[in-house]
Amino acid sequence: MTLTTMLLIIILLMMALLVWTMQRIQFQNKALLQSERDVAQIRNDMLEREAGFQQQLAKEIKEAQKRSNNMQRNVLKGQIGEQFTPFITDFPYNPSDCRFMGEPIDYIIFQNLHECADGNVPIEDVHLIIAEVKTGNARLNQRQKIIKQVIENGQVSFKELRIKHCEDTRSGKRINQ
């Protein structure tokens, strides 16, 4: 083989290698472009999902605020209603016998206490009633359930507490009682 033939073969091989390299680069460029398109599509999908999530979140926040406001209104109505309960027409006790506490229970009712003190009914007709006012589907809370059980168990007593000394708040002196 002559030198010219060898050079020609080398040139052809180099050109073939160059063509192959360019094809390989084109293939990699196409793959890179497809990857960039995929990344862009994923970003768009994420942005759309985030926008949808933000809309859903805003909607759910508004609904939660509305439920919260309604619940607060209902609680407030219930609290107001509790205080006026003794004055409704079908309330079975004398309003003057009722003492509102509000927490942990609503009322202590001294049924017939005034009538007994006036000599109109015997002491056997006087009852001490612990009452909790509920509306709708409201239920007793844990503390109210405990109070109910304590009463049902008979764990109730009366204590007379006497204070032996009292300070005169103006002079700071103790006053014996």
Side-chain angles (χ1 to χ4, degrees), residues 67-149:
R67 283 191 310 270
S68 175
N69 288 339
N70 287 339
M71 204 177 323
Q72 287 175 348
R73 283 186 199 106
N74 289 339
V75 167
L76 187 58
K77 287 177 189 176
Q79 289 172 342
I80 292 169
E82 288 170 354
Q83 294 187 31
F84 286 102
T85 297
F87 306 104
I88 60 176
T89 54
D90 59 344
F91 189 70
Y93 306 104
N94 183 344
S96 63
D97 289 342
C98 301
R99 296 295 172 266
F100 181 74
M101 291 182 59
E103 187 60 35
I105 51 98
D106 291 327
Y107 284 95
I108 296 179
I109 302 171
F110 302 92
Q111 184 181 17
N112 295 324
L113 180 62
H114 289 86
E115 292 291 318
C116 183
D118 293 341
N120 297 330
V121 297
I123 197 163
E124 293 80 22
D125 289 344
V126 176
H127 297 280
L128 181 63
I129 301 166
I130 308 296
E132 177 62 28
V133 178
K134 295 291 184 196
T135 58
N137 294 328
R139 297 185 187 132
L140 295 177
N141 66 35
Q142 187 61 32
R143 291 175 312 226
Q144 293 162 347
K145 289 176 184 177
I146 290 169
I147 291 170
K148 180 181 177 187
Q149 188 64 50

Side-chain angles (χ1 to χ4, degrees), residues 15-81:
M15 285 182 70
L17 183 61
L18 183 63
V19 168
W20 178 82
T21 304
M22 289 180 69
Q23 287 176 342
R24 184 81 176 138
I25 290 171
Q26 270 186 332
F27 176 76
Q28 287 176 344
N29 282 343
K30 285 181 182 179
L32 184 59
L33 284 172
Q34 185 60 43
S35 294
E36 288 174 354
R37 284 188 208 116
D38 291 347
V39 167
Q41 183 63 42
I42 290 170
R43 280 190 187 135
N44 286 339
D45 291 348
M46 284 177 50
L47 289 173
E48 286 177 14
R49 287 181 184 164
E50 184 178 352
F53 173 76
Q54 292 296 336
Q55 288 175 342
Q56 184 67 25
L57 179 62
K59 179 182 173 186
E60 289 180 13
I61 287 172
K62 284 181 183 179
E63 289 173 4
Q65 288 172 334
K66 185 176 179 180
R67 283 191 310 270
S68 175
N69 288 339
N70 287 339
M71 204 177 323
Q72 287 175 348
R73 283 186 199 106
N74 289 339
V75 167
L76 187 58
K77 287 177 189 176
Q79 289 172 342
I80 292 169

